[in-house]
Amino acid sequence: MEGGVNESLITEVAKTKEEGTLKDRVWTEWKKMWIVAGPAIFTRFSTFGVSIISQAFIGHIGATELAAFALVSTVLLRFGNGVLLGMSSALGTLCGQSYGAKQYEMLGVHLQRSWLILFISSIALLPIFIFTSPILKALGQEEAIAEVAETISLWIIPGLFSFVLSYTCQMFLQAQSKNMIIAYLAGFSLAIHGFLSWLLTVKYKFGLSGAMLSTILALWIPNIGQLIYIFGGWFPETWKGFSMLVFKDLWPIIKLSLSSGLMLCLELWYNTILVLLTGSMEKAEIAIDALSICLNISGWIMMISLGFMAAASVRVSNELGRGSSRAAKFSIVQIVLTSFAIGFVLFIIFLFLRGRLAYIFTESTEVAAAVADLSPLLACSILLNSIQPVLSGVAVGAGWQSTVAYVNIACYYLIGIPVGVFLGYVCQLQVTGVWIGMLFGTLTQTIVLLIITYKTDWEKQVWIAKQRISNWSLESDQQDVGDEQNA
């Protein structure tokens, strides 16, 4: 008994010496965090910038076109985007934990499985983009806006399929902390998009068609570069070529992908409902334009938090796969505090900027005034969004997607939306009341996720990760195939 205790103490001392002082641990984790978060933030800024540039050029074409693009991007595209991004986060869980456990060959197999699942999901989403006009009219949108929105949504279909490759390749590369190439490609694509948008809409006056053509090209350029990088021999350990094992044991991965998709969709659809509720209020066009500008600014700032979300997912999954609960907890604390500090600074800045940024997107003084009225809510949204996505990243790294989906349903749809409808329609606060209710739901969700993360038994999470890796290891799959052939 005494020998076992002494051995345990020696092990703990050895771990402490290996990790060094608190200062050394903080610095080491800081570097690991920014290796993922830095490129991820830049990539998301650039990718979101594609939408911002498109909206800026379309906004100067006309108010109806701007409102239609806002509806497509914040309702339909966000819907499809949420499904695919959420489902691809399952790949982040699997690749991150497999990489931490040094099951390198499984990363390529997981990537191919995710391609198959997401491609089928994209086909299932097509009717939403094909029948945009009747869908929006049924939801109470103005006929003129719905007609233009249908034209935009048909243009955006190739962009929907671009997300299949974009998100999955990013998860594959991020799990290995090799995502600088993603940032380079995203920056190059953004520059090309800015030039083409000016060339096609201003120089040659192609209007809406020119802006959408430039948008599609900007979405596909990074995918081509990422595929060349993966297939070109730079990943000899994690990419072994195409394998028939992709079709083996798909159902458990489909279930994880569906729960991942539901988790993120419930978050993204939350803001979508805000836009839809606004569409039936007084002066709908001005309200939608002002709200879409605020949501785009909030969304752009949120790219910072999504970068930290990626870092949290990678660091937690890698450490759980490696078997270190202590390192996983240390990563969570450092990433949450860093993201919150940045969010607090931005909260202060946007409290004072108010409606000045609106003129980037519109020339209407009415829309700018409406944006100014919403600015305090925008600042609060930015502050909350500095924490909530990071906690979602922790959930992805640990594989808690199903649990977080239930939390989202309760906080967003049973609390946030009813409160927003009551304040907006019953109390006649209009879009301000709706947004206050939605923020209340986000605050509730953030508090619940903080409690769950704090009370989690991380040693148990290490055991669960090991079981998951063991069940889906390449050796296990090959053994199953061999048994079937022998039978």
Side-chain angles (χ1 to χ4, degrees):
M1 176 70 175
E2 186 177 339
V5 171
N6 289 335
E7 184 179 345
S8 178
L9 289 172
I10 291 171
T11 302
E12 287 299 318
V13 171
K15 281 184 179 179
T16 304
K17 286 183 177 179
E18 182 182 348
E19 292 176 352
T21 64
L22 177 61
K23 180 181 178 181
D24 292 335
R25 290 175 62 205
V26 169
W27 177 243
T28 300
E29 182 58 40
W30 177 270
K31 290 188 290 184
K32 290 179 178 179
M33 175 186 71
W34 280 107
I35 285 173
V36 179
I41 290 170
F42 180 80
T43 300
R44 282 163 172 77
F45 263 116
S46 300
T47 304
F48 195 76
V50 170
S51 177
I52 295 294
I53 289 174
S54 299
Q55 181 165 356
F57 279 96
I58 291 172
H60 290 284
I61 294 172
T64 301
E65 286 80 3
L66 176 61
F69 183 81
L71 278 174
V72 172
S73 60
T74 57
V75 179
L76 301 181
L77 191 58
R78 188 182 292 268
F79 178 89
N81 191 11
V83 172
L84 299 179
L85 178 59
M87 294 183 75
S88 68
S89 73
L91 180 63
T93 304
L94 298 172
C95 282
Q97 293 185 359
S98 295
Y99 190 78
K102 298 184 179 180
Q103 295 277 352
Y104 298 130
E105 292 185 15
M106 281 306 299
L107 271 73
V109 176
H110 290 320
L111 176 61
Q112 294 169 60
R113 285 169 171 167
S114 192
W115 281 341
L116 178 62
I117 294 169
L118 265 67
F119 181 76
I120 294 172
S121 300
S122 297
I123 294 175
L125 290 169
L126 282 181
I128 299 172
F129 293 85
I130 295 173
F131 302 106
T132 296
S133 181
I135 291 173
L136 291 179
K137 289 176 184 176
L139 292 172
Q141 301 304 315
E142 294 180 8
E143 185 172 346
I145 296 176
E147 293 294 337
V148 178
E150 182 167 284
T151 301
I152 294 173
S153 66
L154 291 174
W155 267 104
I156 212 70
I157 288 175
L160 178 70
F161 284 94
S162 75
F163 295 143
V164 174
L165 293 176
S166 177
Y167 296 145
T168 52
C169 290
Q170 285 180 30
M171 297 295 176
F172 175 82
L173 295 171
Q174 283 177 357
Q176 305 168 70
S177 298
K178 294 182 178 179
N179 55 335
M180 276 303 298
I181 185 66
I182 306 173
Y184 294 141
L185 290 168
F188 174 73
S189 177
L190 184 65
I192 291 294
H193 181 46
F195 172 72
L196 282 179
S197 294
W198 170 82
L199 187 69
L200 297 175
T201 61
V202 178
K203 177 78 172 175
Y204 291 109
K205 308 292 184 184
F206 286 122
L208 190 60
S209 298
M212 295 311 302
L213 177 61
S214 179
T215 301
I216 297 306
L217 290 174
L219 292 175
W220 270 99
I221 288 172
N223 291 340
I224 296 170
Q226 289 177 73
L227 289 175
I228 292 173
Y229 187 46
I230 293 172
F231 295 160
W234 284 278
F235 297 90
E237 291 185 317
T238 55
W239 177 260
K240 299 290 186 180
F242 293 97
S243 171
M244 292 301 293
L245 291 173
V246 170
F247 302 99
K248 179 72 177 175
D249 292 331
L250 267 178
W251 179 239
I253 300 174
I254 291 173
K255 288 195 295 183
L256 182 61
S257 297
L258 290 173
S259 61
S260 300
L262 182 61
M263 181 197 84
L264 196 61
C265 283
L266 289 170
E267 295 180 14
L268 294 177
W269 295 343
Y270 196 45
N271 284 338
T272 298
I273 292 171
L274 177 58
V275 176
L276 291 174
L277 289 173
T278 306
S280 59
M281 290 181 174
E282 298 174 2
K283 297 182 180 179
E285 190 172 287
I286 293 174
I288 291 175
D289 286 352
L291 184 59
S292 66
I293 288 171
C294 286
L295 290 179
N296 273 302
I297 292 172
S298 174
W300 208 349
I301 298 300
M302 194 176 179
M303 297 303 107
I304 299 174
S305 299
L306 291 179
F308 286 115
M309 175 183 174
S313 172
V314 171
R315 293 297 302 126
V316 170
S317 61
N318 282 175
E319 295 301 341
L320 291 180
R322 192 168 68 91
S324 177
S325 62
R326 186 183 181 200
K329 289 187 288 185
F330 191 76
S331 297
I332 293 168
V333 172
Q334 187 156 328
I335 295 171
V336 169
L337 289 178
T338 303
S339 182
F340 176 74
I342 294 173
F344 184 76
V345 172
L346 292 171
F347 166 76
I348 299 298
I349 291 172
F350 277 88
L351 273 180
F352 293 98
L353 278 178
R354 298 187 70 81
R356 295 182 182 89
L357 288 177
Y359 289 103
I360 297 175
F361 306 96
T362 182
E363 298 172 358
S364 170
T365 54
E366 284 186 287
V367 173
V371 171
D373 291 338
L374 294 173
S375 291
L377 297 177
L378 172 62
C380 292
S381 180
I382 289 170
L383 184 62
L384 282 177
N385 287 338
S386 68
I387 303 174
Q388 183 272 327
V390 180
L391 298 176
S392 293
V394 173
V396 170
W400 301 340
Q401 287 92 330
S402 296
T403 301
V404 178
Y406 289 120
V407 172
N408 290 348
I409 290 173
C411 296
Y412 288 161
Y413 298 90
L414 300 182
I415 297 175
I417 291 175
V419 172
V421 170
F422 176 77
L423 293 176
Y425 288 91
V426 179
C427 298
Q428 294 297 312
L429 294 178
Q430 299 294 308
V431 66
T432 301
V434 175
W435 201 346
I436 290 172
M438 308 289 260
L439 284 176
F440 184 72
T442 303
L443 175 63
T444 307
Q445 186 237 24
T446 302
I447 293 171
V448 172
L449 290 183
L450 280 171
I451 293 171
I452 291 174
T453 303
Y454 177 75
K455 290 187 172 292
T456 292
D457 182 349
W458 288 97
E459 289 293 343
K460 183 178 180 181
Q461 296 303 313
V462 168
W463 179 83
I464 291 173
K466 286 181 178 179
Q467 291 295 113
R468 182 182 292 119
I469 293 165
S470 175
N471 291 339
W472 291 335
S473 68
L474 194 60
E475 290 82 0
S476 175
D477 284 340
Q478 288 174 337
Q479 183 178 355
D480 290 342
V481 172
D483 291 343
E484 288 179 4
Q485 290 176 344
N486 291 334

